[in-house]
Amino acid sequence: MTGTTPTLTGRELETLRHIAAGRTHLQAAHAMGVSRHTVDTYLRRIRAKLGHTSTAELTRIAISLGL
């Protein structure tokens, strides 16, 4: 992440935490009580805000945020 850190919503942070923990999109959806499509939408928003596309990069960010 360069410059200022974009603000992620609570649901985006929750999604990031699930994905960083190794859960599939479907598993994250079940845990969050939403559809897989919703998880995919959250992940698109996260990637757009953070400028990272790979799950490995997102996982590193989640760890740095203490998620």
Side-chain angles (χ1 to χ4, degrees):
M1 294 180 291
T2 59
T4 60
T5 303
T7 301
L8 298 179
T9 67
R11 288 301 247 180
E12 290 167 347
L13 288 169
E14 184 179 3
T15 302
L16 184 58
R17 181 174 51 81
H18 284 294
I19 298 305
R23 292 182 180 89
T24 66
H25 295 199
L26 186 59
Q27 289 169 329
H30 284 292
M32 295 170 64
V34 299
S35 71
R36 182 172 188 249
H37 175 75
T38 300
V39 168
D40 292 342
T41 298
Y42 288 142
L43 285 170
R44 276 194 302 279
R45 290 180 188 167
I46 293 165
R47 287 182 168 110
K49 287 180 179 182
L50 301 180
H52 296 280
T53 57
S54 77
T55 300
E57 289 174 306
L58 293 179
T59 299
R60 281 191 289 276
I61 291 167
I63 291 168
S64 73
L65 293 173
L67 299 176

